[in-house]
């Protein structure tokens, strides 16, 4: 189990919101991680490769910087079951393409813009997340 840390959660949420606002203000784009990462691959349609690359580097570097600043290791639990991870990644990728966005695009940016499509998408992926946790913890025995 992960311990809930209200202050760290509040600060993290504020930084996520700030990054979404800054990307919208400077690039006119929604901070959907799947879209940002997907546009790092060719064909390149605009000149925003460096800003997208920097955004993704920031996502990867943030835990490393946090560890350096606090001196505490950043704990993350990831399954060691590689076939399961590959299937899960494909399902998430398919879902973000089919739903025209991901959790960050719909859940952070879409909800704040009062997008009906984002309300529906967020409701669907939250319901699936709740069902997945229930099944893996109570029916499969995780």
């Amino acid at each position: 189990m992960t311990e809930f840390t209200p202050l760290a959660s509040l600060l993290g949420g504020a930084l996520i919101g700030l990054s979404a606002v800054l990307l919208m203000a400077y690039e006119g784009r929604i901070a959907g991680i799947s879209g940002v990462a997907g546009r790092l691959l060719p064909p390149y349609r605009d000149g925003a490769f460096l800003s997208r690359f920097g955004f993704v580097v920031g996502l990867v570097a943030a835990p490393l910087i946090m560890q350096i600043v606090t001196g505490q290791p950043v704990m993350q639990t990831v399954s060691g079951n590689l076939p399961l991870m590959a299937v899960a990644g494909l399902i998430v990728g398919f879902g973000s393409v089919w739903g025209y966005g991901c959790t960050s695009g719909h859940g952070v940016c879409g909800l704040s813009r009062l997008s009906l499509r984002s309300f529906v998408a967020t409701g669907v992926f939250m319901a699936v997340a709740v069902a997945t946790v229930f099944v893996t913890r109570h029916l499969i025995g995780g």
Side-chain angles (χ1 to χ4, degrees):
M1 289 291 183
T2 304
E3 181 182 329
F4 176 65
T5 54
L7 182 59
S9 300
L10 178 65
L11 291 174
L15 288 173
I16 290 169
L18 178 63
S19 69
V21 167
L22 290 174
L23 188 64
M24 179 64 84
Y26 289 108
E27 301 263 336
R29 302 205 53 93
I30 292 174
I33 305 305
S34 62
V36 170
R39 285 187 212 87
L40 285 174
L41 304 172
Y44 305 112
R45 294 188 179 98
D46 56 27
F49 176 82
L50 284 178
S51 65
R52 289 188 186 106
F53 182 74
F55 192 86
V56 172
V57 167
L59 290 173
V60 174
L64 303 173
I65 294 168
M66 184 70 174
Q67 184 170 340
I68 291 167
V69 169
T70 64
Q72 299 290 321
V74 176
M75 304 302 286
Q76 180 66 42
T77 304
V78 178
S79 173
N81 185 337
L82 294 181
L84 175 68
M85 295 293 283
V87 170
L90 290 171
I91 291 171
V92 168
F94 173 77
S96 65
V97 170
W98 193 45
Y100 295 102
C102 58
T103 55
S104 53
H106 284 301
V108 175
C109 299
L111 292 180
S112 64
R113 295 181 310 113
L114 303 178
S115 164
L116 179 59
R117 184 172 79 180
S118 291
F119 276 101
V120 172
T122 303
V124 168
F125 61 69
M126 291 302 293
V128 170
V130 168
T132 301
V133 169
F134 179 81
V135 167
T136 57
R137 288 197 178 170
H138 300 289
L139 301 180
I140 296 176

